[in-house]
Amino acid sequence: MKIDVLTLFPEMFRPVMESSMLGRAVAAGILQIKATDIRQFSHDKHNKADDYPFGGGGGMVMMADPVFGAMESVEAENKKVIYMSPRGKILDREKIEELSKIPEMVILCGHYEGVDQRALDHWNAEEISIGDYVLTGGELPAMVLIDSVARMIPGVLGNENSALDESVYSGLLEHPQYTKPREYRGLEIPEVLTSGNHKQIDLWRFKQSLALTKERRPDLLKRYLEQEHAFSKEERRILEEIMKMER
């Protein structure tokens, strides 16, 4: 997958592109991520990329011309264009899976009070939000989108199935995790995890995931229960037990 990021602050993306999972995917040639500085397409002697909005109002708006120039430099007319915006649709599992199948995309990071609407309209940009709050710019949301989409691309994670197995992708929140030592400062791990009985361990994890999801994300649990599942006798017993518990 090739991702072009258009931003006023390309330096923010260097640590992300060179570190951890994304860094390894880039080094392996699975991902290509390039951050382009929008300011270099400004025709102002000071590389100005923003101006006051027509009609008045507070703040500044990114001008169309530098954005157009940046878009043309990455041949955006042949690619999926995304604009990170708090007024966009919330990024969710379905959208992440959809984007993971797109070979090339351009992510526009807004700043100030937004971007001249003509740039968004001309390049048919899809607006995407990561939540109902406002940040200082689109750079952090773009990183969230890139990271979440990259996890769905074959070869990026060590385990091809792990992206869909964990947390909300499986339909339930993830169960508690423990590692060595077995006892730390008087705190011991659940005995079942050292039993070697994998069936009982799986049932314990299932119960913990159900309980956590019921407590913290009842909306997820409701959606999970509306789906068809081939529960074993033991799993159904655990499910009935959890559902009877008071919230």
Side-chain angles (χ1 to χ4, degrees):
M1 173 182 281
K2 182 178 180 181
I3 302 174
D4 283 291
V5 182
L6 308 184
T7 170
L8 298 177
F9 303 96
E11 66 277 5
M12 292 180 65
F13 288 87
R14 294 191 187 105
V16 175
M17 295 185 293
E18 298 172 0
S19 304
S20 189
M21 176 194 74
L22 292 181
R24 292 192 296 270
V26 170
I30 301 171
L31 284 177
Q32 296 181 52
I33 308 173
K34 179 183 178 183
T36 297
D37 189 349
I38 296 173
R39 292 186 191 278
Q40 66 180 316
F41 300 96
S42 171
H43 292 98
D44 179 81
K45 65 179 181 180
H46 301 296
N47 293 327
K48 184 179 179 181
D50 63 296
D51 209 337
Y52 295 103
F54 276 114
M60 308 289 278
V61 175
M62 289 174 61
M63 296 185 292
D65 187 52
V67 175
F68 267 71
M71 288 285 189
E72 290 166 350
S73 75
V74 298
E75 300 180 345
E77 65 273 10
N78 301 318
K79 303 173 184 178
K80 171 73 174 180
V81 176
I82 295 169
Y83 172 51
M84 306 309 301
S85 165
R87 69 184 187 186
K89 292 185 177 179
I90 297 293
L91 182 67
D92 57 15
R93 172 182 174 175
E94 289 71 28
K95 178 56 64 175
I96 290 170
E97 290 181 334
E98 175 190 325
L99 294 176
S100 71
K101 298 177 175 62
I102 296 174
E104 295 184 283
M105 71 173 73
V106 178
I107 304 176
L108 173 61
C109 301
H111 222 72
Y112 312 115
E113 294 302 310
V115 175
D116 190 308
Q117 185 66 38
R118 291 169 293 186
L120 305 179
D121 292 342
H122 180 85
W123 297 100
N124 193 30
E126 178 180 2
E127 300 188 38
I128 294 179
S129 170
I130 63 168
D132 294 329
Y133 45 87
V134 179
L135 301 175
T136 55
E139 285 75 20
L140 291 177
M143 294 177 198
V144 170
L145 185 146
I146 291 171
D147 190 282
S148 60
V149 169
R151 296 173 63 84
M152 294 290 184
I153 299 174
V156 172
L157 296 181
N159 182 347
E160 294 296 329
N161 297 319
S162 60
L164 290 176
D165 285 345
E166 59 186 345
S167 193
V168 295
Y169 291 155
S170 67
L172 298 173
L173 297 183
E174 192 173 41
H175 54 78
Q177 298 278 13
Y178 301 88
T179 188
K180 296 178 181 177
R182 293 175 59 168
E183 185 273 334
Y184 181 72
R185 298 193 179 189
L187 303 172
E188 297 187 358
I189 67 172
E191 186 175 349
V192 65
L193 298 179
T194 64
S195 68
N197 187 325
H198 296 292
K199 180 179 179 180
Q200 291 303 312
I201 291 173
D202 288 342
L203 289 173
W204 178 87
R205 288 173 171 169
F206 178 63
K207 181 176 182 179
Q208 296 299 311
S209 290
L210 280 173
L212 282 171
T213 307
K214 181 181 180 183
E215 175 188 353
R216 302 179 185 179
R217 291 294 303 277
D219 58 313
L220 284 182
L221 182 60
K222 181 176 183 294
R223 191 184 314 164
Y224 177 79
L225 296 177
E226 289 173 348
Q227 302 170 353
E228 291 187 9
H229 298 280
F231 293 120
S232 67
K233 182 178 180 180
E234 294 91 342
E235 288 172 335
R236 189 163 294 282
R237 175 184 57 78
I238 291 172
L239 178 60
E240 292 174 353
E241 176 185 342
I242 294 297
M243 296 308 295
K244 290 178 181 177
M245 293 173 55
E246 293 186 4
R247 294 178 58 180

